[in-house]
Amino acid sequence: MFLYTAKQQNPAIKALIVEKSPDVCSTFARLGDSLVLNSPTFTKVGLNANLAQGHFIQVSDFDELAERQYPTAKHLHELATMILFHADADIVFNFSVDGVQRAGYGYAVSSKGRTLTAQAVVLTNGMGEQRDNAFRVDQRSNQIIDGDEFIAACYGESEFRDLIRGKRIAVIGAGDTANCVMEHLLPLTYPNHRYPSFQKGPFLPSRVYWIGQGAENIQDFYFANKQRYGHSGGIIEFFWDGEAPFDLPADDWEQARALIERIPARLDSVTHGTMSLELVADGERFEADLVVNCTGRSNDLSAKLRAEEYEFVLGDIVFQGGKWDDWEDRFVLSPRPVERQRIACKLVNERIFLLGCACPLDELIDNNEALDGSLRYQEEKTSLTNAKYSLEHTLPRTVAFAEQFINNIGQ
Ligand SMILES: Cc1cc2nc3c(=O)[nH]c(=O)nc-3n(C[C@H](O)[C@H](O)[C@H](O)COP(=O)(O)OP(=O)(O)OC[C@H]3O[C@@H](n4cnc5c(N)ncnc54)[C@H](O)[C@@H]3O)c2cc1C
């Protein structure tokens, strides 16, 4: 989004995308169908996923995506790849930036001793790596997988689902990644048959321990999951004390629900037993065959840079809210312009900027814009989600930053 907008503002700008993975837009590539725009849940509550009008990350008026009823991260990945290709973008892959230092009139951007130079740096490296030390792990335990890896494996390898069949799985954490993992682990993706990830005849594990999840009902779930996604329809339905939701076969639904054991306590440790992993949470012991770690991430590079003094860049943004019009049978947009918002961070006296999820989002985004833990925005149908790191909040800022600051960036 940054490159696309910046090039529109100033085609002469020379930007190099530096990416640690071997893939364009790697987060979308990995998330497959777990990130869904204009999902049925959005439609249900009358929301619209038109995030940045006129840009490729939006749904209603771009042919490529509008053809698809519920475009997913996978579709965005395809589209972004195509757009970067047509924009003749310069990209260096497999370059994991570990430091940014002053060098001459610009900066040296380094990765394991290799260096690139630039006049200005825009750090957009997302939410970062899996956080260390969420729980103690015995070094021999190799049956631990990160939540994102789990989701990626569900899309990537057809044998993977076979591997989890009949196994005892422990999902650690109660945030968004855990929600997505649960939706993929059990037939809870909503409404199953419309998503490509839907498998006919679910590959059910024998037990799912959801460790760290204390919510008992839908209200608790909403309030406990302050940073949930609007589309987590399936997993929301898990907390719904009613009949089988929507299109899910009632038997699959009941079977899936019965497999989940919620353990509100935090996980203390994982050790390697003879045949399986032994988990301890608040003194209680469990055995599992696979642990899916969804305990959050930390962006060490961003934190390291922010150890220097930083300030916020202000700009005007537009939120593309809207609601479904039953009469017209389409989304009707209601763009909400907001002036002088924090849109990015800048290191004081440097040309180093932090953008998107690389920013300290808690400070960047006002609570009124993304009311943590509140249903109000969704009830009032003015916001897709209250997760501060959701695209709804970060992308309009990226666009504004590229529009307003691109010509000053090198000065
Ligand atoms: C399971 C899951 C589900 C989600 N579902 C939704 C959803 O439904 N709706 C929504 O709005 N948002 C969702 N999100 C959040 C959304 O994915 C993020 O908000 C978005 O991807 C952030 O964009 P970004 O450009 O800031 O960072 P990212 O998309 O994370 O991109 C960061 C890029 O930087 C690269 N990188 C990282 N460190 C380095 C380094 N040191 N050197 C070089 N490159 C590096 C990474 O490989 C990556 O390609 C979801 C996230 C997850 C994990």
Side-chain angles (χ1 to χ4, degrees):
M1 288 293 273
F2 175 75
L3 182 81
Y4 181 84
T5 315
K7 285 269 189 193
Q8 281 182 334
Q9 298 293 309
N10 180 356
I13 200 143
K14 283 182 75 179
L16 178 67
I17 297 179
V18 180
E19 168 59 45
K20 76 169 181 189
S21 77
D23 207 343
V24 162
C25 217
S26 72
T27 305
F28 288 165
R30 286 149 51 95
L31 292 180
D33 304 316
S34 67
L35 193 161
V36 183
L37 297 179
N38 256 5
S39 76
T41 323
F42 283 175
T43 314
K44 206 171 75 182
V45 293
L47 295 171
N48 166 28
N50 199 310
L51 294 166
Q53 271 198 297
H55 285 78
F56 62 93
I57 303 203
Q58 45 82 38
V59 180
S60 331
D61 54 15
F62 193 93
D63 289 347
E64 284 289 328
L65 288 179
E67 281 168 13
R68 306 173 196 270
Q69 194 175 10
Y70 305 115
T72 66
K74 193 172 64 189
H75 302 129
L76 286 177
H77 171 252
E78 287 163 8
L79 199 56
T81 308
M82 192 179 85
I83 282 170
L84 288 170
F85 180 80
H86 283 292
D88 206 11
D90 290 322
I91 311 181
V92 177
F93 290 110
N94 300 311
F95 195 102
S96 178
V97 177
D98 47 35
V100 180
Q101 307 285 339
R102 270 218 180 172
Y105 292 111
Y107 297 94
V109 176
S110 57
S111 169
K112 297 185 190 118
R114 288 192 295 160
T115 304
L116 298 164
T117 51
Q119 280 177 287
V121 176
V122 181
L123 185 74
T124 62
N125 70 335
M127 288 181 276
E129 308 290 338
Q130 196 73 31
R131 189 180 295 142
D132 276 345
N133 300 326
F135 48 85
R136 275 183 296 117
V137 177
D138 170 347
Q139 290 306 312
R140 288 174 303 157
S141 306
N142 59 1
Q143 289 134 286
I144 299 182
I145 184 169
D146 289 343
D148 293 357
E149 302 290 341
F150 180 90
I151 295 167
C154 285
Y155 294 110
E157 305 150 32
S158 52
E159 319 83 59
F160 182 73
R161 279 174 182 271
D162 249 342
L163 273 177
I164 55 180
R165 192 201 300 261
K167 297 282 181 354
R168 296 160 299 176
I169 317 282
V171 177
I172 321 299
D176 299 309
T177 307
N179 294 344
C180 288
V181 165
M182 292 297 287
E183 286 182 345
H184 286 74
L185 189 56
L186 293 165
L188 292 172
T189 316
Y190 164 75
N192 279 16
H193 68 273
R194 295 207 182 122
Y195 287 175
S197 60
F198 174 62
Q199 311 270 334
K200 248 187 165 229
F203 293 71
L204 288 181
S206 62
R207 195 98 201 112
V208 177
Y209 298 109
W210 196 357
I211 301 182
Q213 176 56 267
E216 299 214 350
N217 53 43
I218 188 137
Q219 282 301 332
D220 283 1
F221 178 73
Y222 275 149
F223 287 102
N225 282 264
K226 290 186 167 62
Q227 294 175 319
R228 78 195 188 281
Y229 293 98
H231 82 261
S232 288
I235 202 66
I236 285 171
E237 305 298 351
F238 169 74
F239 295 95
W240 207 282
D241 212 7
E243 291 166 15
F246 307 97
D247 307 332
L248 290 185
D251 287 352
D252 287 358
W253 166 238
E254 283 309 326
Q255 221 182 334
R257 255 163 90 102
L259 290 178
I260 303 178
E261 187 174 327
R262 280 176 299 107
I263 296 161
R266 282 176 67 93
L267 181 69
D268 297 320
S269 66
V270 177
T271 42
H272 204 86
T274 350
M275 297 293 285
S276 55
L277 297 171
E278 190 175 278
L279 284 70
V280 180
D282 205 15
E284 258 193 90
R285 287 170 195 282
F286 310 87
E287 284 198 354
D289 303 301
L290 180 74
V291 169
V292 190
N293 183 9
C294 309
T295 52
R297 311 206 211 160
S298 75
N299 188 329
D300 294 343
L301 181 60
S302 166
K304 196 159 89 182
L305 292 174
R306 276 186 288 123
E308 308 292 322
E309 215 184 330
Y310 64 92
E311 60 198 1
F312 293 101
V313 176
L314 300 182
D316 302 339
I317 51 180
V318 181
F319 295 112
Q320 302 291 344
K323 75 192 229 188
W324 186 262
D325 187 314
D326 278 332
W327 183 254
E328 292 194 39
D329 199 28
R330 68 175 182 92
F331 280 115
V332 177
L333 289 178
S334 51
R336 214 160 26 111
V338 193
E339 288 175 1
R340 289 186 65 75
Q341 295 297 299
R342 292 177 169 183
I343 58 175
C345 284
K346 178 184 182 303
L347 301 198
V348 173
N349 296 327
E350 305 288 352
R351 289 186 305 273
I352 300 179
F353 301 88
L354 275 59
L355 203 53
C357 289
C359 278
L361 294 178
D362 264 353
E363 297 170 51
L364 194 83
I365 298 168
D366 197 281
N367 276 351
N368 284 330
E369 183 185 316
L371 283 181
D372 281 350
S374 160
L375 280 178
R376 207 191 85 201
Y377 268 34
Q378 295 207 347
E379 280 165 357
E380 288 179 356
K381 301 174 179 174
T382 51
S383 172
L384 297 178
T385 163
N386 52 28
K388 285 190 176 180
Y389 50 87
S390 83
L391 300 169
E392 185 196 17
H393 301 286
T394 54
L395 287 187
R397 288 176 162 80
T398 300
V399 173
F401 177 73
E403 279 172 357
Q404 294 168 42
F405 290 89
I406 196 61
N407 291 321
N408 306 328
I409 228 169
Q411 288 159 19

